[in-house]
Every structure is written in C-alpha cells, then in structure tokens.
Amino acid sequence: MDILRVLSTPDLEVRKKTLQLALDLVSSRNVEELVIVLKKEVIKTNNVSEHEDTDKYRQLLVRTLHSCSVRFPDMAANVIPVLMEFLSDSNEAAAADVLEFVREAIQRFDNLRMLIVEKMLEVFHAIKSVKIYRGALWILGEYCSTKEDIQSVMTEVRRSLGEIPIVESEIKKEAGELKPEEEINVGPVQKLVTEMGTYATQSALSSSRPTKKEEDRPPLRGFLLDGDFFVAASLATTLTKIALRYVALVQEKKKQNSFVAEAMLLMATILHLGKSSLPKKPITDDDVDRISLCLKVLSECSPLMNDIFNKECRQSLSHMLSAKLEEEKLSQKKESEKRNVTVQPDDPISFMQLTAKNEMNCKEDQFQLSLLAAMGNTQRKEAADPLASKLNKVTQLTGFSDPVYAEAYVHVNQYDIVLDVLVVNQTSDTLQNCTLELATLGDLKLVEKPSPLTLAPHDFANIKANVKVASTENGIIFGNIVYDVSGAASDRNCVVLSDIHIDIMDYIQPATCTDAEFRQMWAEFEWENKVTVNTNIIDLNDYLQHILKSTNMKCLTPEKALSGYCGFMAANLYARSIFGEDALANVSIEKPIQQGPEAPVTGHIRIRAKSQGMALSLGDKINLSQKKNSI
C-alpha cells in the first residue's frame, strides 16, 4: 500500500514501474485493497481533463486490473462494473483494453456472464468507436443465452440502426427536409458496361442542401453511412448466432419465423444500403459475401452451420486465450529464474564498507547495484575481466610519433559522456598553455572548456571533459591539442586529434510493447530506414539472434512463431532509448533454396523511429555489425 502512494506522481514511467512492482508483490491477502485503490485511480482519471498521459495511465490501470482479475478470479465481479463504463470512452485504446479484458472474463468466469451481458446492454448505445462496437456485438452475439437477453440484443440493434429500410428512410428524410426553393439536380446519366457485356445506366441525384449534422443519427447507422461496412459483417454474424439460438430456445414456429425474418430483413437492408450511392464508401465484396452467407445460413438452418456458428467460434477463442496464458506463464517463469539468486548457507556476507577496493570487482552486492541503478548510475556488466573491458573503451587520438601523444577513455553515463584524456609530452621542451580544444557533431554539447596545462619534458597529465547528450543518434567528438613551446618564438603548435565516435548502443535498451501499440507506432513514425541484409550467416535464427545482440533490441514475435524451419522468417523488434524515444524494426529474411544449403541469408530490415537520427544510426549499426564474420 505504501508503494501505491507513488501513483500520485505525474510521471508515466514511474507509475508504470509502480504498478508492475505492486503486481509482483500482490497476494490473496491484500489483492482486495489493491483493487480498491486501482478502482479509485481509474475513476479519478475520468474526472481529469483529457491529457495524453491520462489516457495512457488509464490503459495501464485497466491492464493491471485485468492481470489481478486473471490471477484472483474472485476480484473480477468487483472490477467489471467499473471498467464497463469505459467502453463508451472516447479514447479507443483504453476502451479496447477494457473490451479485451471483458472478453477474457466472460469466457473464463461462467458465473459472471449474466452480469457482463446485462452491463454490456446498458452501455451498448453509448459506444462511440466502431472498433469497440464490433467487439461488443461479438460478445453479445456469442454469450446471450436466454430468450430475454436475445430479445434485448435485437431491440438494441434496431435502436442503433434506426428506421428501416435504411435507403428508403434516408431518401425520404432528404426529400422531407428539402425546402421548395432548393433545386434537385439529376446528374449526368453515365453508361457503364457490366461484366456480362450489357449496358447499365446510372444517374446521380444531388441537391444544393447543406449536409445535415450527423449527431442525431443512431450510432450504427452513422458507421454504415460513413462507409464502414466491416461492422455490418460483424452484425450479420451476431444476428445469425442469436437467431439460431432463439430457434433452439423457442418452440413456437410463428415466433421463430418472425425473429429469423427480422434478422434477415436487417441484413438485406444493409446490403441494399451498401449497393446504393448513399454511403461515403461502397460496401466491399468481402462484406457482401459475409452478409450473403449469413442470409443463406438463416434461410437453410442446417445443423452443421449451427454448430460452426454457436460452438466452434467459442472454441477458437478459448484456444487463443489458453495459448496466451501459456505464453505469459512461460515468460514469468523465465523472469523468476533470472531473479532467483541462490545463496548457499555457508556463503560469506559481503559488507560494502568493509570490502577492500581490489575485492570490489569480484563481489557484487545486488542491493547496492539496484540502488545505483535507481540513482541513474547504471553500471553495465562488462566482460569477465574489468580491466580488459576498460581498455576496450580507450581511443587513441594521436600517433606515437606526434610531439604530444593523447588517448581518451570514453565513459558513458546516462545523460552525459566523460572523456578522460591522457596527454603525454614526448618532446624535451616544456609545453605551456597546452589546451585540449573539443567540438561536437550531432546532439552533443560540451559542458565546459578544459583549462590549459603546462607540461614538463616527457611529463603526462589527465584532462577531463564532460559532454552532455540530448538524444539518441550517433555523435562525433573531434578537436585538437594546442600548445606553446617555452623559449620558442614561433606561433602556437597544433596536433589534430582523431574523431571519437559515440556509440548509439549505450543509450538503447530492450523494451516490450503490445502488438496493437507496435502497429500504432509503426503507422505514426515518419522516418523509415530500409537496410538490405548483406551477411555471411547461413541460418535464419542465428542471423536474428546476431541482430538482437548487436542492436540491443528485443524480439516481440513469440518463440513459438519463430520455431521450426520453413526457409523464411519475419520478426518484429522493439527498443527504447533512455530519453524515451522508441525504435521499431521489422526483419523479413529468407534462405534462397535454389542456391544450396551454404547460401547466406537474404532479405531486408525496416527500421522506423520518430527522429531521423535514431533511424539512420540504427541502420548504420546494423550495416556495420551484419558484415562481421560470426559463423
């Protein structure tokens, strides 16, 4: 409960970590208190004025409540009524999360089905988003089992569709609202040739009347007139399911026929609307096929179709949910295996204050490491030998024969880079005003100029320079060393230094996101960099692992989808920089079979990012690393 007090902070990242921690710590004893706090937080977000982070925070809360309900089923009954209100939310992402949760809950918890259906019927007319509307229709069609519920669904659909037949009522509405002085123009008659080779004429009725506001249209009618007929295909499936179920429940033939006829009338009127010129976009062939199939099923009522519509749909949902649960369990198991640090009974206890400096490297205090990480001083686990890893980061800046030799150790912290430059006077003269002059390229900024030094003959000194980093892109630090020779009358001497390239990998960390978020970001990000695969690796999986290792990205495609061998592979990768920038990549690779078993992998990697620098830098990194001989 103390940890949950941190949720009052406005920072989204902190809230996310707090909720993850709370989920790790929750048990059956305190889950009720956690749910109460989260419900209060959800209601609070509803009253706050709309802000981008508010929507994301609401999504986080919904997901946390979802996880709680799955782990502790007793809590679901308390959570569902509060969350169902958000189905009518204008933010589609939060509503989609609620819908996903409701779908899982209604499938898992039989005892809550009545409650969920009842609540769904209450909020159904208020749903604003077409995607959520489709999902709600599917749930109602799949889980309405009583005669009363089925009738309620039909009433809600009729209410949401408005007056039928739609085409006639819309034309009447247009005609009724036209004022006498406005002229109706018949557009030019157009001759069309049909597939059969016969001629068909088509004329357009138009008027100069300004378009009527669309607010007074019922929601479903509005979606259809906007040309979104995918929701009509979903409605046709729902009507077919409830009609078949109604026929099984009610014995009276007259009522059966009347209900089925009503369902068929609704489908027929939607088909008629789709073929007319009223919607903004005409109905697609796929949706026509789907609605026609549903009409055929209702007209024939065969037992096979009844089974497919009313049993097999639900089975596929349960298969999907069980596969998802299995995957989650597997990832949790991996996480817990990583976390478990086994300590033997006779292991010595390490006290930081009492550890000698030379022992510090070999003993790692987990608490101290996590504390350092929390304060931002993340110490990356270097190679087994700490000295070797430090030497790997030393960059030679001048040649051995230059009068002044310089080399730099580049130490990368979270938001700044410290350059520890060793300057050696290789001459027999005293060097005065020896100054390290640096300049930067990219999003790097020199904090302060290093002060001048005086170097005795064959003396050396260390100069430290701080560089601030503002974003994730490859940066270059370049410069020179300027000095005066004491007693010489000549001008100042200058030694030009080699460039120091700052590696983007120091700022990129693997991260996870849902498929929906990945797709949304993929559509939003404007910078794309397409890298052609040019490697000598001959195995698809090896190549993917090599790319993951060299770019610090995480593979979002589940292992099951990547297992097996079929000659090609597609995977989505994701990473986030410490500055909160996202990087997405899609790997599409194949093994050209015709070139034999030793043929290298071919294909493309597409990288997308918000900033041009990040997309280009990641592309350069992949280009450099894939050419290495890693077989």
Side-chain angles (χ1 to χ4, degrees):
M1 296 315 290
D2 288 339
I3 288 168
L4 288 175
R5 280 159 60 190
V6 181
L7 289 175
S8 56
T9 180
D11 187 87
L12 189 71
E13 203 57 40
V14 174
R15 283 169 160 178
K16 193 176 180 178
K17 295 233 169 93
T18 307
L19 289 171
Q20 278 174 353
L21 190 57
L23 263 182
D24 286 347
L25 297 173
V26 75
S27 67
S28 51
R29 283 176 304 170
N30 53 19
V31 67
E32 207 166 328
E33 292 169 19
L34 172 69
V35 167
I36 291 166
V37 172
L38 294 180
K39 271 161 67 177
K40 278 183 189 165
E41 285 291 319
V42 169
I43 293 161
K44 245 191 257 176
T45 62
N46 208 14
N47 306 331
V48 177
S49 57
E50 283 303 311
H51 183 263
E52 191 189 357
D53 277 359
T54 312
D55 291 344
K56 287 182 180 171
Y57 180 43
R58 193 180 300 156
Q59 261 181 285
L60 280 177
L61 290 168
V62 168
R63 282 179 195 170
T64 312
L65 282 166
H66 183 167
S67 305
C68 280
S69 305
V70 171
R71 277 170 60 186
F72 306 98
D74 304 347
M75 290 295 113
N78 300 341
V79 173
I80 286 165
V82 178
L83 292 186
M84 293 280 272
E85 299 295 330
F86 287 98
L87 283 175
S88 55
D89 197 33
S90 53
N91 172 26
E92 193 180 285
D97 276 349
V98 173
L99 193 73
E100 202 175 298
F101 166 48
V102 168
R103 188 183 66 183
E104 190 167 340
I106 202 167
Q107 171 66 20
R108 284 235 175 107
F109 315 128
D110 295 355
N111 54 329
L112 296 176
R113 280 183 188 170
M114 293 295 287
L115 169 77
I116 294 174
V117 168
E118 186 188 322
K119 205 72 181 132
M120 185 70 89
L121 286 166
E122 272 176 41
V123 296
F124 188 67
H125 67 278
I127 295 173
K128 299 180 185 75
S129 159
V130 65
K131 189 177 168 191
I132 308 306
Y133 204 92
R134 280 203 314 263
L137 268 176
W138 189 89
I139 289 173
L140 286 173
E142 190 62 56
Y143 294 100
C144 280
S145 48
T146 64
K147 195 170 85 175
E148 292 74 24
D149 282 345
I150 290 172
Q151 289 282 15
S152 308
V153 173
M154 185 57 102
T155 312
E156 281 294 339
V157 168
R158 286 295 296 261
R159 179 177 159 194
S160 185
L161 207 51
E163 194 186 337
I164 58 170
I166 301 172
V167 178
E168 281 174 34
S169 64
E170 282 293 317
I171 291 173
K172 272 184 203 165
K173 205 187 283 182
E174 298 250 340
E177 281 161 15
L178 284 178
K179 291 176 183 166
E181 64 269 16
E182 285 177 346
E183 288 182 11
I184 299 174
N185 312 318
V186 174
V189 174
Q190 212 178 349
K191 273 199 170 183
L192 299 170
V193 180
T194 64
E195 289 173 75
M196 311 284 288
T198 56
Y199 285 103
T201 56
Q202 183 182 344
S203 63
L205 192 75
S206 66
S207 80
S208 54
R209 184 182 62 80
T211 51
K212 184 171 165 291
K213 278 193 179 175
E214 290 167 14
E215 267 96 55
D216 57 352
R217 276 187 191 155
L220 186 53
R221 198 188 194 95
F223 297 145
L224 295 176
L225 287 168
D226 284 341
D228 194 330
F229 282 95
F230 188 31
V231 72
S234 180
L235 173 68
T237 311
T238 300
L239 289 173
T240 308
K241 283 178 185 173
I242 61 173
L244 291 171
R245 214 168 287 143
Y246 190 83
V247 169
L249 286 170
V250 178
Q251 298 307 315
E252 217 176 306
K253 267 277 179 229
K254 193 178 173 188
K255 281 186 178 175
Q256 283 184 6
N257 292 341
S258 149
F259 193 89
V260 171
E262 190 176 357
M264 291 172 82
L265 171 64
L266 291 179
M267 292 184 219
T269 187
I270 289 170
L271 270 178
H272 185 198
L273 174 70
K275 301 278 185 179
S276 74
S277 57
L278 288 173
K280 288 179 183 170
K281 284 182 275 182
I283 189 165
T284 63
D285 291 345
D286 288 346
D287 296 332
V288 171
D289 286 354
R290 184 69 172 162
I291 298 170
S292 309
L293 170 77
C294 290
L295 278 167
K296 195 170 188 305
V297 168
L298 280 185
S299 62
E300 291 174 359
C301 283
S302 70
L304 170 69
M305 282 299 163
N306 202 338
D307 264 13
I308 290 173
F309 271 86
N310 278 335
K311 289 183 187 164
E312 298 199 12
C313 288
R314 199 174 297 186
Q315 275 174 7
S316 23
L317 173 67
S318 65
H319 287 326
M320 188 193 83
L321 290 176
S322 54
K324 200 169 156 193
L325 195 70
E326 212 174 286
E327 211 173 285
E328 278 172 18
K329 278 181 182 169
L330 202 70
S331 63
Q332 278 175 0
K333 195 179 172 189
K334 279 183 183 171
E335 279 296 310
S336 58
E337 278 172 9
K338 271 186 203 169
R339 279 188 210 147
N340 285 348
V341 181
T342 46
V343 180
Q344 297 302 326
D346 54 350
D347 271 2
I349 299 170
S350 160
F351 293 96
M352 279 301 273
Q353 290 80 355
L354 304 177
T355 315
K357 283 222 168 147
N358 57 351
E359 287 176 27
M360 291 278 271
N361 295 323
C362 53
K363 299 274 192 297
E364 278 186 350
D365 183 351
Q366 293 299 322
F367 177 73
Q368 194 69 20
L369 282 179
S370 56
L371 193 64
L372 284 171
M375 293 190 300
N377 308 331
T378 41
Q379 290 183 332
R380 290 178 174 276
K381 281 197 175 177
E382 307 292 2
D385 180 4
L387 289 173
S389 67
K390 194 164 179 177
L391 286 173
N392 288 341
K393 290 193 173 181
V394 171
T395 311
Q396 190 178 330
L397 301 178
T398 63
F400 292 116
S401 57
D402 282 315
V404 176
Y405 171 75
E407 64 182 28
Y409 166 61
V410 185
H411 182 70
V412 179
N413 289 325
Q414 257 196 311
Y415 298 106
D416 65 334
I417 297 162
V418 179
L419 293 180
D420 192 351
V421 184
L422 170 72
V423 181
V424 182
N425 176 6
Q426 300 200 102
T427 65
S428 307
D429 302 311
T430 302
L431 306 182
Q432 291 176 328
N433 292 334
C434 183
T435 313
L436 176 67
E437 292 179 347
L438 294 173
T440 57
L441 196 70
D443 247 342
L444 303 172
K445 192 177 167 192
L446 199 64
V447 178
E448 56 186 340
K449 273 187 164 183
S451 48
L453 300 168
T454 301
L455 284 176
H458 303 291
D459 191 9
F460 65 89
N462 280 60
I463 304 173
K464 282 201 173 167
N466 275 23
V467 178
K468 280 275 172 225
V469 186
S471 78
T472 320
E473 58 180 88
N474 285 342
I476 299 171
I477 302 171
F478 56 93
N480 44 40
I481 292 174
V482 185
Y483 60 91
D484 294 326
V485 178
S486 60
S490 63
D491 290 338
R492 300 199 77 184
N493 297 294
C494 174
V495 178
V496 179
L497 306 177
S498 299
D499 298 346
I500 301 171
H501 290 264
I502 302 304
D503 192 359
I504 183 178
M505 287 309 107
D506 290 317
Y507 307 108
I508 286 184
Q509 293 159 346
T512 49
C513 69
T514 63
D515 286 350
E517 286 168 345
F518 186 91
R519 282 195 294 272
Q520 192 181 344
M521 286 191 281
W522 189 265
E524 282 172 9
F525 291 174
E526 56 262 35
W527 290 103
E528 176 169 308
N529 188 4
K530 193 173 182 182
V531 179
T532 307
V533 173
N534 177 12
T535 184
N536 45 11
I537 299 172
I538 58 172
D539 184 74
L540 296 173
N541 220 9
D542 287 356
Y543 180 76
L544 179 67
Q545 294 310 320
H546 178 64
I547 289 295
L548 290 175
K549 194 176 169 188
S550 55
T551 57
N552 252 6
M553 295 184 97
K554 186 182 174 86
C555 183
L556 297 181
T557 311
E559 275 181 44
K560 271 188 181 173
L562 297 173
S563 58
Y565 184 80
C566 62
F568 65 90
M569 180 189 279
N572 290 338
L573 318 182
Y574 177 61
R576 187 182 279 131
S577 75
I578 55 174
F579 307 104
E581 299 165 294
D582 300 294
L584 315 172
N586 172 259
V587 180
S588 299
I589 48 178
E590 64 171 331
K591 186 116 163 78
I593 299 163
Q594 64 276 13
Q595 293 176 22
E598 292 303 308
V601 171
T602 60
H604 291 96
I605 298 171
R606 289 164 72 195
I607 301 154
R608 282 203 184 181
K610 219 171 206 165
S611 64
Q612 184 186 14
M614 185 129 174
L616 290 175
S617 305
L618 258 178
D620 292 347
K621 184 71 192 171
I622 290 174
N623 263 331
L624 285 170
S625 59
Q626 68 175 353
K627 289 173 188 168
K628 283 182 186 171
N629 189 0
S630 56
I631 294 176

